[in-house]
Amino acid sequence: MADRHGLIPGALEGVDAPDEIRARISELCEELDAAAGANLRGLILYGGLARGRYRPGKSDINLIVVLDDTSTDSLSAIAPALRASWREVRVEPFIIKVSEAERLAETFPTKLLDIQTHHIVLMGEDPFSEIKVSRKLIRLRIEQSLTNLALRLRRRYISIFDNPRSLAMALEEQAVPLKVELAALLQLAGKDEPSESTSAAVLEMAAAAFDLDREALLLMAALRRDAPTPEDLPALYNRALATIARAANIVSRME
């Protein structure tokens, strides 16, 4: 187990981000270590930055903060550093107690699976390394998340059906959540995963593996890269809804 105090040597060397971002993360680790003291058990990067998919000015920096105690007194101690880092470089903290880590395998199985697959321990412990995620819980969570995604998109459409910009933004915002669930579905089905973990690569692989609408999925991914907006957005929105529903149906029939 790594010593809790101080950034693990070389932890940020493989992070594909500008030097100033790595420096700010290193500084934040020192600030949190000083502010939390013995209450801090670990700091772990996950999400796009851990996958090598950081986009300056657009990507969040997802940081797991592992604490023994999460009372408001303890949160107040680290709040100034985390708030400042959000304003400066969009650090999005995911704050958990050590005792909660194993339960995440039941309450957020696909999120935990994603974290286990792509994460970088910056300081202290890795509470996820020995946790086993139940196949049944992963399947149920994927189905629930895909269904919920479709329900949200249907409700959103009622409010924005005549606003092309809002339609494009709604599809763009759901590309990453959809990618996370389809990546978990690929693993659950024992399918090959792409060598790259970009939204486009995962969505394209899932389209091939499960006979989903490849073009619609890739257009959703392209919207995240500021690609030209498709002319018929309601039609693309409809195809996205149908694709998500088909994926949910596929996972519902899996053992």
Side-chain angles (χ1 to χ4, degrees):
M1 181 182 298
D3 184 0
R4 180 189 62 79
H5 295 286
L7 186 70
I8 294 174
L12 288 170
E13 289 182 3
V15 174
D16 185 13
D19 290 343
E20 60 270 21
I21 296 297
R22 291 198 297 271
R24 184 64 184 94
I25 294 171
S26 178
E27 181 184 17
L28 175 61
C29 288
E30 295 175 2
E31 292 170 350
L32 293 174
D33 196 16
N39 189 40
L40 180 64
R41 295 289 296 275
L43 295 172
I44 302 166
L45 285 175
Y46 72 105
L49 188 58
R51 296 187 190 93
R53 296 297 302 173
Y54 177 74
R55 297 188 298 165
K58 292 191 174 183
S59 297
D60 290 344
I61 296 173
N62 300 109
L63 179 69
I64 300 170
V65 182
V66 187
L67 303 174
D68 274 322
D69 176 68
T70 56
S71 66
T72 53
D73 283 345
S74 295
L75 295 177
S76 293
I78 61 175
L82 288 172
R83 183 167 61 185
S85 65
W86 165 254
R87 291 172 175 170
E88 294 169 20
V89 293
R90 295 174 60 94
V91 171
E92 180 61 59
F94 180 46
I95 303 169
I96 67 168
K97 296 171 70 171
V98 175
S99 59
E100 295 171 338
E102 191 166 355
R103 288 286 298 162
L104 292 177
E106 297 184 19
T107 52
F108 298 101
T110 55
K111 184 179 184 72
L112 183 57
L113 189 64
D114 184 56
I115 290 171
Q116 286 182 322
T117 305
H118 301 285
H119 70 281
I120 299 170
V121 179
L122 301 177
M123 183 182 294
E125 304 175 20
D126 180 356
F128 309 113
S129 60
E130 302 299 323
I131 296 175
K132 304 298 182 183
V133 186
S134 160
R135 176 182 174 84
K136 178 180 178 181
L137 289 176
I138 292 173
R139 187 192 69 75
L140 289 172
R141 184 61 181 180
I142 296 171
E143 182 181 359
Q144 179 191 52
S145 296
L146 289 171
T147 302
N148 191 41
L149 179 57
L151 293 172
R152 290 201 308 270
L153 281 172
R154 289 173 193 164
R155 174 62 186 90
R156 183 73 176 138
Y157 187 79
I158 298 301
S159 301
I160 61 174
F161 74 97
D162 55 353
N163 187 325
R165 177 174 174 78
S166 294
L167 288 171
M169 288 180 62
L171 292 174
E172 175 188 349
E173 289 168 358
Q174 299 307 323
V176 170
L178 180 57
K179 179 200 77 168
V180 170
E181 300 308 325
L182 292 183
L185 182 56
L186 285 167
Q187 288 186 259
L188 186 68
K191 303 289 187 179
D192 291 335
E193 297 179 64
S195 56
E196 296 184 19
S197 59
T198 63
S199 295
V202 172
L203 295 178
E204 184 168 24
M205 185 69 76
F210 304 111
D211 192 25
L212 303 177
D213 189 333
R214 175 181 179 274
E215 183 181 31
L217 291 173
L218 291 182
L219 285 171
M220 287 179 69
L223 288 171
R224 300 191 66 246
R225 302 192 303 272
D226 300 320
T229 303
E231 290 186 10
D232 194 346
L233 278 166
L236 176 58
Y237 206 102
N238 187 56
R239 291 168 66 184
L241 283 172
T243 300
I244 294 167
R246 174 170 171 75
N249 186 54
I250 289 170
V251 72
S252 73
R253 293 185 278 106
M254 294 176 67
E255 296 296 330

